[in-house]
Amino acid sequence: MPVPFAQLVRWFAPAVLVACLLTLPGCAGDDNVVGPKNPARDPVPSIAYPKITLQGELDYQLVLLGEPVVVGATPTQPMSVRLRLRNATEDDLYVAYRYRFFGPSREPVDVDMPWRPLKLPATLAKDFEGDAMQVRAVDWELEVRPD
């Protein structure tokens, strides 16, 4: 004998209602799973990136005199760089600087070079010198910050 439709609804309706109520907490709220973000590509190509970066307001206070003197590496001697920056202000400046050296694929070869303090008297120039620690260094950057 077939079961009447009303009796089927009476049996299945509570089961469907319980199943819906159990799945509701999974639908509520925001999804807290967030994937890692990718950095944007630098619009400045590495060939155009400046060799000398000045932090703070030093870009208004220091000027480059002439061109950097770069002595390339030999099989026994690492590369060295020397350049002159002039204090264009009427006050003494206290700065710290460090060179960073890179290999042929722009990989850092001298990690955590120490910061060197330097006093620049008003309106005068000083040499900023740096030597790589490894002979495979072929490129460089200079960072200067207020001290």
Side-chain angles (χ1 to χ4, degrees):
M1 170 162 131
V3 179
F5 180 73
Q7 195 173 4
L8 281 175
V9 170
R10 199 173 359 155
W11 289 341
F12 287 110
V16 170
L17 181 62
V18 168
C20 289
L21 290 174
L22 289 175
T23 59
L24 277 178
C27 298
D30 295 331
D31 184 8
N32 293 329
V33 178
V34 179
K37 302 208 180 324
N38 289 329
R41 293 239 180 241
D42 191 349
V44 179
S46 61
I47 193 80
Y49 199 78
K51 295 278 189 194
I52 305 164
T53 54
L54 305 173
Q55 298 177 11
E57 294 188 8
L58 292 177
D59 54 339
Y60 300 110
Q61 299 168 330
L62 298 177
V63 293
L64 177 64
L65 298 177
E67 292 297 317
V69 176
V70 180
V71 178
T74 67
T76 59
Q77 186 73 28
M79 81 179 310
S80 67
V81 182
R82 183 175 49 93
L83 59 87
R84 290 180 66 80
L85 292 176
R86 184 176 68 83
N87 178 358
T89 69
E90 295 180 6
D91 298 314
D92 292 347
L93 287 178
Y94 294 89
V95 300
Y97 73 96
R98 73 175 175 185
Y99 279 91
R100 298 183 66 209
F101 292 95
F102 302 93
S105 301
R106 285 289 294 167
E107 74 276 9
V109 294
D110 293 334
V111 183
D112 294 330
M113 295 290 284
W115 289 92
R116 299 180 189 174
L118 187 66
K119 176 186 174 186
L120 287 127
T123 70
L124 297 180
K126 286 278 189 169
D127 288 335
F128 289 70
E129 299 176 320
D131 299 316
M133 302 298 283
Q134 300 181 30
V135 294
R136 65 186 186 100
V138 296
D139 200 6
W140 61 275
E141 289 178 6
L142 171 65
E143 297 174 312
V144 185
R145 69 177 186 196
D147 197 20

